[in-house]
Amino acid sequence: MQNTDTPDPDTPPAADTAARLTTQSIRSFVLRQGRMSPAQTRAYETLHPRYGLPYAAGALDFKRTFGRSAPVVLEIGFGMGETTARIAAALPRCDFLGLEVHAPGVGALFKLLDEGHLTNVRVIRHDAVEVVRDMIAPGSLAGIHIFFPDPWPKARHHKRRLVQARFVALLATRLAPGGYLHCATDWEEYGQQMLDVLSAEPLLENTAAAFAPRPDYRPLTKFENRGIRLGHRVCDVVFRRNNRVSAESGSDGTTPQGTA
């Protein structure tokens, strides 16, 4: 039987990673039919033409998508969108592409964007692995945020965790040199896994000795503050893309202020 974990020597590393994710995609979520409030439903239906993008195979032209040339930061799994909206409002010089599979969260973010008159955010409601693989050009991102992904705490479910070596390898190819990957979790064991996985990726370098201090651009949420009061440790892991392998151009590599 052929060993599918052995790379093809004639296939470039980035292409091999993408090909493996095609057949071995990480399923890090369970799609629940969450109940949408009337406000979320109204926002989803009326604001999707303004903020939403369809999933389609083919790299996005960010200049065309956002109507300007600016650093683009990818937000993976933004939940109800509060943090994404706050970061986008604080960093108007950056554009943000948010990925989320749950409709209530998408509707909630649309509502926040409309209320804040924000124009620098677009949203794709689709699986993050497929979007990164099919719609993000290599070397095109200034940054990537993965904040508080599902920790899947049971050992038998760890394979569902989003931050795994294959996906991180793909993410690294999408960063411009100097671009950053920032993961955060309040599940300390998952934080250690994040640190180990990112440390093992040859295209990434840690900005700290181990865990990083929380950058100023990542706001504290009510949920996070409650966890801190209860003694939960929040782990931030911030790595930068190095120049070990040349990336295709597509971003100037500028990162929001506050990264280490």
Side-chain angles (χ1 to χ4, degrees):
M1 180 181 295
Q2 182 179 1
N3 183 357
T4 57
D5 290 334
T6 303
D8 183 340
D10 297 322
T11 303
D16 178 64
T17 298
R20 291 174 67 190
L21 280 169
T22 300
T23 57
Q24 303 176 12
S25 186
I26 300 165
R27 188 69 168 182
S28 65
F29 61 91
V30 174
L31 191 57
R32 303 177 183 89
Q33 189 62 38
R35 183 175 180 179
M36 297 178 70
S37 70
Q40 291 168 354
T41 300
R42 187 163 52 250
Y44 189 95
E45 293 174 350
T46 61
L47 298 174
H48 194 279
R50 186 191 309 175
Y51 298 115
L53 298 172
Y55 165 78
L60 288 169
D61 179 341
F62 289 141
K63 184 176 182 180
R64 183 175 181 180
T65 297
F66 291 97
R68 64 172 183 170
S69 294
V72 176
V73 177
L74 183 68
E75 292 252 337
I76 298 178
F78 55 75
M80 299 307 289
E82 177 187 356
T83 296
T84 298
R86 290 175 64 181
I87 294 175
L91 297 169
R93 64 187 179 82
C94 294
D95 291 328
F96 295 85
L97 179 63
L99 308 181
E100 178 59 61
V101 296
H102 299 290
V106 174
L109 178 56
F110 284 172
K111 185 173 182 291
L112 292 171
L113 298 177
D114 185 53
E115 292 172 345
H117 307 287
L118 299 176
T119 61
N120 59 335
V121 180
R122 298 293 184 272
V123 174
I124 301 175
R125 186 188 171 203
H126 196 78
D127 176 56
V129 174
E130 294 182 0
V131 172
V132 173
R133 184 191 67 205
D134 300 336
M135 299 185 68
I136 309 298
S140 63
L141 296 174
I144 300 170
H145 298 164
I146 305 177
F147 295 159
F148 304 99
D150 193 325
W152 292 104
K154 295 181 179 179
R156 68 177 182 273
H157 292 154
H158 284 184
K159 63 184 178 182
R160 295 184 177 182
R161 288 177 169 176
L162 183 63
V163 180
Q164 299 187 39
R166 286 180 287 123
F167 188 44
V168 168
L170 181 64
L171 291 174
T173 68
R174 270 46 181 174
L175 287 170
Y180 70 97
L181 172 56
H182 180 183
C183 302
T185 181
D186 59 352
W187 195 267
E188 190 169 354
E189 184 269 334
Y190 194 11
Q192 186 61 53
Q193 177 182 327
M194 291 174 171
L195 181 61
D196 293 343
V197 170
L198 270 64
S199 296
E201 170 49 51
L203 295 183
L204 298 175
E205 297 176 354
N206 201 344
T207 64
F211 293 114
R214 178 181 62 86
D216 292 338
Y217 63 80
R218 185 178 74 74
L220 286 172
T221 65
K222 294 178 182 178
F223 175 81
E224 185 176 357
N225 274 319
R226 184 168 63 250
I228 292 173
R229 288 196 300 270
L230 294 172
H232 299 170
R233 180 183 182 184
V234 176
C235 302
D236 285 88
V237 181
V238 184
F239 279 62
R240 287 193 185 276
R241 169 71 194 265
N242 58 39
N243 293 303
R244 191 167 298 177
V245 177
S246 298
E248 298 176 20
S249 61
S251 169
D252 63 7
T254 305
T255 60
Q257 294 180 357
T259 51

